[in-house]
């Protein structure tokens, strides 16, 4: 629990645990990644107990349940009503989970670790999402817990722990590789390995296979850079792909991330030899590869290409395509080459030079921004819910209906709304959520609508918080007639129009559709989703009940 006061000392103790309430914010997308977040507590104007010197309020971090394991305690701050606690609590952050926390503050009266022997100053409840989703990831909460008394406030700060989020993008091509196929050329691909401390290599990437060519240009590949503490060796093996899996080994070379980072320069020139046996990687037979490799001088002359063959790189389009920019005057006009050499052929043929060359076309490093970066940058998530009011849900007055409002348990629509909405609402500053219904006859004329506001206000369909949505939902059940069909396109287009009006990235829109059955306007819904694909919005579809619901029918 939290702090104590001993001779004017105060401490902030913390406990925390994540609740097991989950939702799926986006199908495969998403910001649902695990990230590390640190928190610091800064109580302000804490309640005073005893006489002089003034106590310093401690703070406690714990989950909402009353009984919960203690996560940690801050240090003791002497003689202060406005302590700034230095110790941070490090937690795993999950966007898709509701991570409840509780902070308790105590006035330390002794050295005892038993909190019951210290004066309780107040407590605050929140979720980790509330802290992260606040402006600047800074949340100020009032302290409560002492009836009829103002206990002050606590300021909670969150920051993402510094991890390397850079991504290195590389592109290679090759020229005049060995012809390995009897009825064709070769189907080359490359396999990348990184070195281990014991001298072995671990596979880390495979390129795509480029079919039937001796001059392949492989698509760019993105890989995280190695730790800043070192630059391990990188081994690259070149193979000719075979359908039966017995890929023909062409050659290999080694380099390092530090050398590749030089980009299109003479420093990235290596002789690639073929050993007496095949590599010991995924395509090899267990024979250790031959290394190290001999540096070669760059081949910078256009004359090294066969007549009528394209150059080793896609001309003027290559510079800058991946952020490399045009080469500097000190860099040769042609990219660095890696010669593929077969020692066996060289021993048999005195005029043998190599089995081809490999070229580094581009190298660029870009930062991979996380979900927290966007939230800290001020992006707001706007949450809209659309509820299915078609007759297939059953009569709401009967207990068999999916819309039945039981006094003892929540119906399926309410559970789905709370599971998703209570997480997303932490990232919406005004907590005003548009709530729509579809598939019902609405008053006063009884017309069928697939985009009606649950609160009855077409000009402003927003409800205050999740509880406001539930109140409007319950009122709508008493005023509309369930009908049909199940059309999604109108509500998708409704949110898409709102998203299209905010193209600056300051807002992101999430539409939650809760339905009990098969979509009736599939063609129109597909078209609406395709049209909204470039907009800052996501769609969550939750199926309830026993009817068939197959999201695989979407494009």
């Amino acid at each position: 629990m939290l702090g104590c006061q001993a001779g004017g000392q105060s401490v902030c103790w913390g406990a925390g645990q994540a609740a097991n309430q989950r939702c799926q914010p986006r199908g495969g997308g998403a910001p649902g990644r695990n990230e590390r977040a640190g928190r610091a507590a800064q109580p302000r104007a804490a309640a005073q107990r005893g006489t002089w010197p003034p106590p310093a309020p401690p703070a406690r971090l714990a989950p909402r349940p009353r009984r919960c394991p203690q996560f940690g305690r801050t240090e003791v701050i002497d003689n202060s009503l406005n302590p700034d606690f230095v110790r941070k609590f490090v937690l795993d952050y999950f966007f898709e989970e509701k991570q409840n926390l509780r902070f308790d503050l105590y006035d330390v009266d002794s050295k005892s670790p038993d909190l019951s022997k210290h004066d309780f100053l107040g407590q605050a409840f929140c979720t980790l999402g509330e802290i992260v989703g606040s402006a600047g990831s800074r949340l100020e909460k009032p302290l409560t817990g002492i009836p009829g008394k103002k206990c002050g406030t606590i300021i909670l700060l969150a920051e993402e722990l510094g991890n390397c989020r850079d991504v290195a993008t590389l592109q290679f091509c090759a020229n005049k590789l060995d012809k390995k196929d009897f009825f064709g050329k070769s189907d080359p691909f490359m396999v990348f390995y990184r070195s281990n401390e014991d001298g072995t290599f671990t596979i880390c990437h495979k390129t795509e296979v480029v079919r039937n060519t001796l001059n392949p240009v492989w698509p760019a590949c993105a890989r995280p850079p190695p730790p800043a503490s070192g630059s391990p060796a990188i081994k690259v093996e070149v193979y000719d792909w075979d359908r039966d899996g017995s890929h023909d080994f062409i050659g290999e070379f080694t380099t390092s991330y530090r050398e590749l980072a030089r980009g299109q320069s003479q420093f990235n020139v290596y002789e690639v030899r073929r050993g007496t046996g095949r590599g010991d990687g995924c395509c090899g037979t267990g024979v250790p590869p031959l290394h190290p490799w001999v540096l070669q001088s760059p081949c910078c002359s256009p004359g090294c290409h066969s007549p009528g063959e394209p150059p080793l790189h896609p001309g003027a389009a290559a510079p800058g395509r991946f952020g490399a920019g045009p080469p500097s005057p000190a860099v040769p006009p042609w990219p660095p080459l890696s010669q593929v050499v077969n020692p066996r052929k060289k021993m048999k043929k005195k005029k043998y030079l190599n089995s081809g060359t490999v070229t580094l076309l581009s190298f660029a490093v870009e930062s991979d921004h996380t979900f927290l970066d966007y939230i800290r940058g001020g992006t707001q998530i706007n949450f809209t819910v659309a509820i299915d009011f078609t007759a297939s849900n059953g009569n709401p007055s009967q207990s068999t209906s999916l819309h039945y409002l039981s006094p003892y348990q929540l119906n399926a629509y309410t559970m789905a709304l709370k599971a998703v909405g209570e997480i997303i609402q932490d990232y919406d500053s005004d907590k005003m959520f548009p709530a729509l219904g579809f598939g019902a006859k609405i008053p006063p004329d009884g017309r069928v609508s697939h985009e009606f506001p649950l609160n009855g206000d077409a000009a402003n369909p927003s409800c205050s918080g999740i509880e406001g949505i539930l109140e409007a939902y319950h009122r709508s059940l008493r005023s509309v007639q369930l009908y049909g069909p199940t059309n999604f396109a109108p509500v998708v287009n409704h949110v898409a129009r709102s998203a299209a009006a905010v193209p600056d990235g300051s807002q992101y829109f999430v539409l939650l559709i809760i339905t009990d059955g098969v979509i009736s306007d599939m063609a129109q819904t597909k078209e609406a989703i395709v049209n909204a694909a470039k907009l800052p919005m996501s769609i969550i579809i939750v199926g309830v009940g026993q009817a068939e619901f197959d999201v695989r029918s979407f494009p």
Side-chain angles (χ1 to χ4, degrees):
M1 323 274 274
L2 203 33
C4 328
Q5 168 92 23
Q9 295 178 329
S10 73
V11 64
C12 173
W13 298 350
Q17 181 181 15
N20 291 324
Q21 183 173 1
R22 294 172 178 265
C23 71
Q24 192 70 23
R26 288 209 278 175
R33 60 183 294 180
N34 174 358
E35 303 183 33
R36 304 281 289 184
R39 268 192 327 287
Q42 295 178 301
R44 288 288 180 268
Q48 183 170 348
R49 291 289 184 94
T51 57
W52 190 262
R60 160 191 172 163
L61 167 62
R64 289 283 176 84
R66 292 297 174 181
R67 286 191 170 186
C68 57
Q70 183 180 130
F71 186 83
R73 303 183 177 188
T74 68
E75 73 280 10
V76 175
I77 305 295
D78 292 339
N79 306 329
S80 174
L81 293 178
N82 300 290
D84 287 333
F85 296 107
V86 174
R87 182 182 175 188
K88 296 184 173 85
F89 301 98
V90 179
L91 297 178
D92 288 326
Y93 164 73
F94 300 92
F95 172 82
E96 69 275 16
E97 292 185 6
K98 185 178 182 181
Q99 297 171 274
N100 293 313
L101 306 172
R102 186 177 84 231
F103 295 84
D104 293 345
L105 274 74
Y106 289 84
D107 175 23
V108 180
D109 289 325
S110 69
K111 295 183 179 180
S112 172
D114 186 358
L115 291 178
S116 65
K117 300 184 182 300
H118 306 290
D119 295 327
F120 177 70
L121 298 180
Q123 62 184 191
F125 298 91
C126 69
T127 66
L128 182 55
E130 282 185 84
I131 305 174
V132 172
S134 300
S137 297
R138 180 183 184 275
L139 178 65
E140 186 170 339
K141 299 280 289 186
L143 294 169
T144 60
I146 302 178
K149 194 163 185 132
K150 291 185 178 180
C151 301
T153 60
I154 184 171
I155 300 173
L156 307 170
L157 305 174
E159 61 181 12
E160 186 179 9
L161 296 185
N163 295 321
C164 180
R165 298 194 296 260
D166 290 342
V167 175
T169 303
L170 307 89
Q171 186 178 27
F172 293 88
C173 73
N175 189 51
K176 297 183 181 179
L177 294 178
D178 281 350
K179 179 179 178 296
K180 294 292 184 178
D181 294 338
F182 184 76
F183 291 107
K185 297 181 180 179
S186 290
D187 305 315
F189 69 96
M190 295 194 297
V191 183
F192 290 75
Y193 302 83
R194 69 171 185 273
S195 64
N196 302 315
E197 293 183 358
D198 60 358
T200 61
F201 286 85
T202 300
I203 186 171
C204 59
H205 179 71
K206 285 184 181 180
T207 68
E208 297 181 11
V209 177
V210 182
R211 305 298 290 269
N212 196 31
T213 179
L214 302 181
N215 305 293
V217 178
W218 288 283
C221 59
R223 301 295 305 171
S229 57
S231 180
I234 299 174
K235 181 179 70 173
V236 183
E237 297 178 347
V238 185
Y239 288 90
D240 167 46
W241 178 85
D242 288 330
R243 187 180 301 274
D244 61 2
S246 59
H247 310 309
D248 298 319
F249 182 67
I250 296 177
E252 60 185 1
F253 65 93
T254 59
T255 181
S256 68
Y257 177 80
R258 183 179 294 110
E259 293 298 327
L260 292 174
R262 297 174 183 256
Q264 297 186 10
S265 70
Q266 65 271 29
F267 299 103
N268 270 322
V269 180
Y270 310 94
E271 180 179 350
V272 184
R273 298 180 183 272
R274 185 183 180 198
T276 57
R278 297 177 60 173
D280 60 352
C282 67
C283 305
T285 58
V287 180
L290 298 178
H291 58 279
W293 314 110
V294 181
L295 284 172
Q296 299 291 307
S297 59
C299 175
C300 303
S301 172
C304 67
H305 308 289
S306 298
E309 291 187 345
L312 292 177
H313 58 84
R321 182 180 177 187
F322 299 98
S328 62
V331 178
W334 291 92
L337 306 177
S338 299
Q339 296 189 21
V340 184
V341 179
N342 188 327
R344 292 181 177 179
K345 289 186 177 180
K346 190 171 184 178
M347 292 177 61
K348 295 179 180 179
K349 300 180 180 180
K350 294 183 179 180
K351 295 184 178 181
Y352 172 80
L353 296 177
N354 58 53
S355 296
T357 56
V358 174
T359 305
L360 175 65
L361 287 180
S362 63
F363 179 94
V365 177
E366 298 178 352
S367 180
D368 185 16
H369 295 291
T370 67
F371 172 70
L372 292 183
D373 291 331
Y374 289 97
I375 295 299
R376 281 198 301 268
T379 298
Q380 286 290 304
I381 294 183
N382 292 303
F383 177 58
T384 300
V385 61
I387 297 178
D388 185 339
F389 282 84
T390 56
S392 57
N393 287 280
N395 189 337
S397 63
Q398 298 179 359
S399 60
T400 55
S401 172
L402 295 172
H403 283 303
Y404 179 67
L405 300 178
S406 170
Y408 307 108
Q409 63 183 10
L410 303 177
N411 65 28
Y413 283 90
T414 302
M415 287 190 293
L417 175 60
K418 290 176 69 70
V420 179
E422 288 185 352
I423 292 174
I424 296 203
Q425 69 175 350
D426 290 338
Y427 306 94
D428 192 311
S429 59
D430 61 6
K431 304 294 188 291
M432 297 298 295
F433 309 123
L436 307 173
F438 59 91
K441 288 184 176 181
I442 61 175
D445 55 0
R447 65 181 178 87
V448 177
S449 175
H450 298 288
E451 187 187 349
F452 63 90
L454 298 187
N455 64 1
D457 186 355
N460 183 17
S462 296
C463 302
S464 179
I466 301 302
E467 293 304 319
I469 296 178
L470 292 176
E471 292 176 6
Y473 163 57
H474 296 164
R475 288 197 303 268
S476 293
L477 284 176
R478 294 189 291 266
S479 62
V480 305
Q481 177 187 350
L482 274 60
Y483 201 69
T486 306
N487 292 348
F488 283 8
V491 293
V492 173
N493 290 328
H494 178 98
V495 177
R497 288 192 296 269
S498 299
V502 190
D504 60 359
S506 62
Q507 299 184 48
Y508 193 87
F509 294 79
V510 176
L511 169 61
L512 169 65
I513 301 176
I514 312 176
T515 182
D516 78 318
V518 179
I519 303 171
S520 302
D521 64 336
M522 180 61 74
Q524 292 84 352
T525 298
K526 288 182 177 180
E527 182 181 2
I529 294 175
V530 170
N531 292 336
K534 295 182 179 180
L535 297 176
M537 66 176 288
S538 294
I539 302 173
I540 305 170
I541 302 176
V542 177
V544 298
Q546 302 301 318
E548 180 182 356
F549 187 86
D550 189 357
V551 296
R552 290 174 297 178
S553 59
F554 281 97

